[in-house]
Amino acid sequence: MTRDRTSAVMSNPYARIVEPLDPQKPDHKFYNLSKLQDHRYARLPFSIRVLLEAAVRNCDEFLVKQADVERILSWKETQSQGVEVPFRPARVILQDFTGVPAVVDFAAMRDAVKALGGDPENINPVCPADLVIDHSIQVDFNRKVDSLQKNQDLEFDRNKERFEFLKWGSKAFRNMRIIPPGSGIVHQVNLEYLARVVFDQDGFYYPDSLVGTDSHTTMIDGLGVLGWGVGGIEAEAVMLGQPISMVLPEVIGYRVLGTPDKLVTSTDIVLTVTKHLREVGVVGKFVEFFGPGVAQLSIADRATIANMCPEYGATAAFFPVDHISIKYLEQTGRDPEKLSYISQYLKAVGMFRDYNDVSQDPDFTKVVELDLGTVVPCCSGPKRPQDKVAISKMKEDFEACLEAKQGFKGFQVARENLTASKSFQYNGAEYSLSHGSVVIAAITSCTNTSNPSVMLGAGLLAMKAVKAGLSVKPYIKTSLSPGSGVVTYYLKESGVMSYLSQLGFEVVGYGCMTCIGNSGPLPESVVEAITQGDLVVAGVLSGNRNFEGRVHPNTRANYLASPPLVIAYAIAGTIRIDFEKEPLAVNAEGKEVFLRDIWPTREEIQAVERQHVIPAMFKEVYEKIETVNERWNSLKAPLDKLYTWDPKSTYIKSPPFFQGLTMELKPPKSITDSYVLLNLGDSVTTDHISPAGNIARNSPAARYLSNMKGVNPRDFNSYGSRRGNDAVMARGTFANIRLFNKFLNKQAPRTIHLPSEETLDVFDAADRYQEAGVPLLILAGKEYGSGSSRDWAAKGPFLLGIKAVLAESYERIHRSNLVGMGIIPLEYLPGETADSLGLTGRERYTITIPDPLTPRMIIDIKLDSGKSFQARMRFDTDVELTYFHHGGILNYMIRKMSGK
């Protein structure tokens, strides 16, 4: 044990409950929470026990106080009172889209600390951080045996600068591990390899817990590791040793009963849970699963449910560790000695669960339940993951959406165009597209590729389809991007990979691809047919997200589906099919083949899984994970502790966030006569705000790259790959073609520059306002910032000159990110909206910042028309106010680390 750790334990007021876990190993100790002798502990939800242990272990009467421990123990009374508590996660996980900006910020913070006279090497991760490079690869090649290699080669060619920078970071910063590209999707690698479940560090055992810079970090909760997504800005503070300040959450108990029908997949269960919890209302809360039905769910099933947590809005969706969790750790090749202390520790502190033992059921804020026997096969869409549609209703639901008013369930297609179709040529043959035609079919994303049952189910369905003489039309962009090399291993070993390949589902890469918009281009003739026919065509993917404009700009309808259903819809070529009444296709012999003819049984799938998903596979794949990529191994990276910025680089750029930073704090000023940059409605997601996907050739970012930097359009790459360049990202903020701005009354990444009444790209309008020195405001409706935990959804608006957002409500992570960048999140008072207040967005707004500020205080807003109203300032904690006074969380950390 280090001297620092020893002194920390000595000064901890709970040092009295420290004892060895095993008397034979006196140097391996733990905080025995049962020795608190507090009856409240046994009634706490298991997820809250993790928060309590972290508070007890880190109690120093400075960052974490005994009063915080008492608040957590009193959870039953304090849960609904907005009580603030600190939480120090055991580790941080990053993916490269959010990881590159984090490392860029760390590099820039070192420069800033040096400029203020401090030691730049103080800027280092204190909390262990793992960065998995998984978001850079896209589906440029598919349907060919060498698609994987070609896509990986292109990934390296496009991202060499970024990868060299990350490799520099892995050498320059202590306590940071980088998992190279080609290894798998971050969340699956986390589940199969990185998760400790119980830490053994510095002579202490304690629960594994984490925050991550991807909202789907929650997938790890399926293994009993408490974790959730935070903004990159917040994650950086945790890496620097700061606790997260969080409001002690309510915990919804989700009782699971019954047994699923033999035709139901884990995807059907998760889409049902998503819809149900969306209706219950769990935003900002923990969900904890219990009941005998949980024992019916594999860890992969649980992880699939936990992965979709952001889609139903909860902070975390927790499955406490049980015997099935331990069996999973065995299956994935974890060390037997570790398994022994994991079980021993969790039982000693009352965190090991028997789902059949009702006496272990803790207190919950509220209990809801699901009978697995009521779940039916389903999809979700066409524009949101929470809009579940039973498979039996898909055809009629989509046809109703065609005519319905433009919205989440409507495309507003004119009646005379409902039967529109368009012929086109592809590879010398003629085909036809109509509304509902499938043009993208992707088995992608950690949601399903972590789950052997649905992946093997897809493989068995493919085998039966090929044997029945079925095929997939060649213009449909099919792809398979597994979550890790283990998936490819068991698909090959079980003999189903060749059948997937025959249907066009070749392995195209190991990473988060189609689900995040890295779907690559569609054939030009297909795009022409779609645009000329003004067709609503579909993408079907086994992913997490199907928001407008996310998967591909030409697929207006996108459905989340299980991997077997992705293949089924690809074979059918349309989502306008009733699988019960209509055949998938007619084979060469003229025989009609129905989905029921080729659907594998649960028993078939389980038999194959038992035989082929074995520990040796996981060991073989993960033993070489950090060295298997030869191109990564051969990358040269500088060894300097300060990064040498290349002014010519279009990928990595020193951000302007810390320019002119001084040690002295300046009091925040009121925002005077601000203009509204955008007037937005409900459910504006971070996909609408944050730059993602391809860089459109007529966009401000494209003009910057081509006109100012001389980049050829074919080398634009994606916004995700250029997240380390603030000049590109600022220009891509609010650049989503599906952004609906009330000023224009249509979807477009544009707005009205109010002083001149000119319609401009959003960046160009903001740039003109900034030149005039005018502050900016955004008006929005409910759930502003829902979607992924993207730091650029806050950094981008900051660079556009936005000082505040006024919304009806916020998604948790995005509100936190706005605070982290010094942007004020304002909320209408209950019952009030822009409409009820008569706001058009054309007014000029003066926002009075009083002194002193207090959490959640109500402030005055005056309009240039003479009218005024009040709104709540959504700084929810004193810590958030501290960050705001410093101009953001990173400024606060720089001043702190400068040692003055």
Side-chain angles (χ1 to χ4, degrees), residues 1 14 40 50 59 79 130 172 276 332 361 371 393 400 560 577 604 637 646 674 762 783 862 875 885:
M1 192 189 305
Y14 298 98
R40 293 172 294 178
V50 178
C59 189
Q79 56 173 302
D130 297 308
H276 184 200
T332 50
D361 293 353
D371 182 347
K393 303 288 186 184
L560 306 183
I577 179 173
E604 286 178 274
D646 179 0
S674 63
V762 174
E783 298 179 338
K862 296 179 181 178
F875 296 122
H885 283 296

Side-chain angles (χ1 to χ4, degrees), residues 680-702:
L680 306 171
D682 295 340
S683 296
V684 171
T685 73
T686 48
D687 288 296
H688 292 108
I689 308 167
S690 186
N694 294 326
I695 297 173
R697 296 195 178 191
N698 61 345
S699 65

Side-chain angles (χ1 to χ4, degrees), residues 207-473:
D208 187 6
S209 61
L210 70 152
V211 291
T213 56
D214 189 297
S215 57
H216 291 106
T217 299
T218 52
M219 181 167 168
I220 201 64
D221 291 286
L223 187 56
V225 176
L226 184 64
W228 61 85
V230 296
I233 306 153
E234 197 172 4
E236 290 167 34
V238 174
M239 289 163 70
L240 291 165
Q242 293 295 294
I244 286 177
S245 180
M246 61 184 294
V247 173
L248 196 63
E250 296 182 359
V251 182
I252 305 301
Y254 200 91
R255 183 187 288 116
V256 184
L257 309 166
T259 304
D261 182 86
K262 63 182 181 179
L263 295 179
V264 164
T265 68
S266 60
T267 312
D268 303 321
I269 295 170
V270 74
L271 294 179
T272 302
V273 170
T274 299
K275 184 176 190 297
H276 184 200
L277 285 175
R278 196 84 189 186
E279 292 168 349
V280 169
V282 293
V283 172
K285 302 174 185 178
F286 284 3
V287 176
E288 185 167 306
F289 292 81
F290 73 110
V294 178
Q296 301 286 320
L297 302 173
S298 68
I299 294 303
D301 291 335
R302 299 176 193 183
T304 309
I305 293 168
N307 186 283
M308 292 290 277
C309 179
E311 277 61 64
Y312 41 84
T315 300
F318 192 66
F319 290 83
V321 173
D322 68 343
H323 72 284
I324 294 175
S325 314
I326 302 300
K327 283 183 179 178
Y328 176 82
L329 294 173
E330 289 176 1
Q331 182 190 39
T332 50
R334 265 47 173 231
D335 181 75
E337 186 179 343
K338 290 182 179 178
L339 296 184
S340 175
Y341 73 65
I342 287 171
S343 294
Q344 190 179 352
Y345 169 79
L346 292 174
K347 288 174 180 176
V349 293
M351 294 189 198
F352 194 89
R353 190 73 162 93
D354 179 350
Y355 286 101
N356 291 304
D357 183 358
V358 295
S359 70
Q360 285 191 3
D361 293 353
D363 293 328
F364 291 113
T365 307
K366 176 182 179 181
V367 172
V368 294
E369 67 179 41
L370 173 70
D371 182 347
L372 294 174
T374 64
V375 178
V376 297
C378 57
C379 290
S380 187
K383 300 181 184 184
R384 296 191 302 182
Q386 65 263 35
D387 293 331
K388 186 187 79 164
V389 186
I391 295 302
S392 58
K393 303 288 186 184
M394 271 285 287
K395 182 178 181 179
E396 64 180 81
D397 186 82
F398 176 75
E399 289 175 347
C401 288
L402 284 177
E403 275 196 277
K405 185 180 176 182
Q406 183 69 242
F408 298 125
K409 295 288 286 185
F411 297 103
Q412 207 163 333
V413 175
R415 181 157 295 182
E416 61 271 19
N417 294 330
L418 290 175
T419 57
S421 64
K422 190 71 180 176
S423 297
F424 65 98
Q425 295 280 324
Y426 182 74
N427 285 354
E430 184 168 307
Y431 301 95
S432 178
L433 293 179
S434 56
H435 296 303
S437 290
V438 173
V439 295
I440 290 177
I443 299 175
T444 184
S445 163
C446 42
T447 308
N448 285 297
T449 55
S450 68
N451 198 323
S453 64
V454 290
M455 294 302 291
L456 289 169
L460 291 170
L461 184 139
M463 179 182 74
K464 293 185 177 191
V466 169
K467 290 182 176 179
L470 305 185
S471 62
V472 175
K473 293 181 178 68

Side-chain angles (χ1 to χ4, degrees), residues 776-817:
L776 294 174
L777 174 71
I778 285 176
L779 298 184
K782 299 181 183 70
E783 298 179 338
Y784 180 73
S786 56
S788 299
S789 55
R790 293 192 175 145
D791 51 336
W792 273 110
K795 286 179 177 177
F798 171 84
L799 293 174
L800 294 182
I802 291 163
K803 303 301 182 184
V805 177
L806 176 58
E808 292 176 47
S809 63
Y810 292 87
E811 191 274 340
R812 175 186 62 85
I813 300 172
H814 186 59
R815 187 200 62 80
S816 174
N817 277 351

Side-chain angles (χ1 to χ4, degrees), residues 47 76 465 498 725:
S47 51
K76 191 172 182 181
S498 62
N725 185 325

